Amino acid sequence: MSRRVATPGDAPHPRYVVFELTLRCDLHCHHCGSRAGLPRTGELTRLEALDVIRQLAELGTQEIAFIGGEAYLVPWWLDAIRACVDHGIRPVMTTGARQLDDRRVREAKHAGLAGVSVSIDGLEATHDRLRNVAGSWRAATDALTRVAEAGLRPYANTQFNRLNLPEIEPLAALLAAKGVTVWQVQVTGPMGRAAEMDDWLLQPWQILELVDRLSAVARADTLHVEAANNLGYFGPHEQHLRRFHWQGCKAGTYVLGVESNGDVKGCPSLPSAPYVGGNVRNHPLAELWQDKLIGFTRDRDRSELWGRCASCYYADECLAGCSWTAHTLLGRRGNLPYCYHRAEQLQREGLREELLRVEAPPGQAFDFGRFELVEVAISDR
């Protein structure tokens, strides 16, 4: 997918938007942050969704990524793609691809879809376990072939956890063989169903191994590896995983998320309860864009940082990494242990951080529990 960066000096605008067309899904993934499966109550109609796209065009949106649930399960999903093209917006899609057959791929290409990112979360057994549907890996990898044969650029995305961490190199080789040009990688965040699978989540010190190995894949130059917003930061490999070094969370500055019921938040990954700033049925998007809850990153400084992030050398620029991951781990943003620089510094001190779950999630879409962060001596492990 295209990179989520903006030219320095750009005025804040929703340059990149993730539009969840439905929560209906044909998978039931154990690590799904939105707990997708059934549609939300009161999802937007076709006309309402097309009007959202019109409003986004007026605000200067350049790219919309359609997601679900599963976007192709919406009867009018092709109309949403056409609306983007009509308004000069680049439409792309992120999909689990269980039913992304030849007909759907051809129709999407004809409608103007510019790219498809297929979620591949490991080799076959691991992927099927995470996605909770036998045969889902075969369907996803076959979809990459269909996408390429239709003349669309095949992309892939993977979220890493303790189950698939051992599979980085063979998975990269598989994706390169399938013609994948860009591989977006991130850490499984502790939200939704994933928050219940705490023994699957990476521990903070494992970010060193993950980034080291992903950097080696990137330097082999068989496919482009692109770190998503909760993976980094400021270590020796940053130039291999990002075009520019990390410049802080851009939720509500250049990024926007629209949920299928019309709720709007500054980033699609953020937990809904603390970050939804309003609904498109009640307010125009231009008005919602000015909401301080949506645009919380525009006036941030290091005053909200705490823990090790507060005293970090990179604090002024990094501002504690990914807001979504920090908040869903520790109950508030401003302190993120999934950081290469931080884990490296701790290692030099003979320490490492570990996460212990102390509060379970309530069981709602985009919900989260709470973890406790402890420092332990490496010698004790």
Side-chain angles (χ1 to χ4, degrees):
M1 316 297 281
S2 68
R3 296 175 182 278
R4 305 181 192 186
V5 296
T7 303
D10 278 359
H13 68 285
R15 179 175 181 173
Y16 179 87
V17 176
V18 176
F19 195 160
E20 172 200 280
L21 293 185
T22 182
L23 263 194
R24 183 184 173 196
C25 193
D26 51 15
L27 295 168
H28 193 75
C29 305
H30 286 303
H31 57 327
C32 179
S34 64
R35 298 183 184 269
L38 297 175
R40 290 181 190 270
T41 300
E43 292 191 333
L44 296 176
T45 66
R46 171 183 173 275
L47 291 179
E48 287 173 326
L50 298 185
D51 189 60
V52 168
I53 294 170
R54 176 193 61 80
Q55 293 182 63
L56 288 171
E58 292 176 353
L59 290 172
T61 296
Q62 297 178 20
E63 180 172 300
I64 296 178
F66 293 111
I67 65 167
E70 191 58 78
Y72 58 66
L73 296 179
V74 175
W76 41 264
W77 71 294
L78 297 172
D79 292 337
I81 294 171
R82 295 185 190 101
C84 287
V85 175
D86 291 344
H87 289 292
I89 299 172
R90 183 176 187 264
V92 296
M93 179 173 71
T94 297
T95 174
R98 185 183 177 195
Q99 299 180 73
L100 192 61
D101 55 23
D102 288 333
R103 177 182 60 83
R104 284 191 166 114
V105 172
R106 288 195 306 269
E107 290 177 342
K109 174 67 162 56
H110 183 72
L113 192 68
V116 179
S117 181
V118 179
S119 300
I120 310 285
D121 285 324
L123 302 181
E124 185 167 9
T126 302
H127 177 100
D128 283 2
R129 184 181 179 190
L130 284 164
R131 295 278 160 181
N132 202 21
V133 174
S136 59
W137 181 88
R138 181 65 61 185
T141 52
D142 286 349
L144 288 172
T145 301
R146 293 191 190 98
V147 167
E149 289 176 348
L152 288 164
R153 293 186 66 186
Y155 305 100
N157 64 87
T158 301
Q159 47 177 289
F160 280 102
N161 47 63
R162 279 191 260 182
L163 269 67
N164 59 15
L165 182 63
E167 300 176 354
I168 293 173
E169 292 81 7
L171 179 55
L174 168 74
L175 296 178
K178 285 286 186 178
V180 170
T181 55
V182 177
W183 184 24
Q184 187 184 74
V185 292
Q186 66 181 63
V187 174
T188 296
M191 190 165 70
R193 295 188 196 112
E196 298 170 355
M197 314 303 292
D198 49 294
D199 57 332
W200 289 5
L201 299 177
L202 290 178
Q203 286 293 339
W205 50 271
Q206 292 178 295
I207 202 75
L208 296 174
E209 178 186 351
L210 174 62
V211 172
D212 284 350
R213 290 168 61 194
L214 286 173
S215 176
V217 170
R219 285 182 279 114
D221 204 28
T222 55
L223 76 169
H224 179 80
V225 181
E226 181 176 285
N229 293 339
N230 75 345
L231 195 155
Y233 312 87
F234 294 101
H237 307 304
E238 192 80 351
Q239 71 272 22
H240 303 300
L241 302 179
R242 284 190 173 88
R243 181 186 299 178
F244 304 108
H245 65 267
W246 175 252
Q247 299 173 26
C249 172
K250 300 303 181 187
T253 300
Y254 301 116
V255 180
L256 192 69
V258 181
E259 297 183 347
S260 59
N261 64 355
D263 284 344
V264 179
K265 51 192 180 183
C267 169
S269 299
L270 287 167
S272 297
Y275 288 100
V276 167
N279 190 284
V280 297
R281 287 185 170 126
N282 303 322
H283 303 279
L285 268 172
E287 182 179 322
L288 291 173
W289 180 250
Q290 301 306 321
D291 185 273
K292 291 185 177 180
L293 191 59
I294 290 175
F296 69 91
T297 66
R298 297 176 213 172
D299 300 314
R300 286 180 81 195
D301 58 35
R302 64 186 298 169
S303 62
E304 74 172 36
L305 305 191
W306 57 286
R308 284 214 168 226
C309 282
S311 59
C312 178
Y313 175 82
Y314 298 107
D316 288 317
E317 192 163 8
C318 181
L319 293 174
C322 174
S323 301
W324 153 52
T325 310
H327 197 136
T328 52
L329 275 175
L330 303 175
R332 60 187 172 112
R333 60 182 185 261
N335 185 22
L336 181 62
Y338 285 140
C339 168
Y340 191 100
H341 172 73
R342 174 165 163 169
E344 189 178 45
Q345 294 297 310
L346 281 161
Q347 187 178 71
R348 290 173 181 170
E349 299 171 27
L351 300 171
R352 73 186 195 190
E353 291 178 308
E354 295 185 356
L355 292 163
L356 304 172
R357 194 179 75 178
V358 296
E359 185 178 328
Q364 302 165 353
F366 288 96
D367 63 345
F368 57 98
R370 187 169 60 83
F371 289 76
E372 181 180 281
L373 186 65
V374 296
E375 290 185 5
V376 298
I378 294 175
S379 59
D380 294 339
R381 293 293 186 262

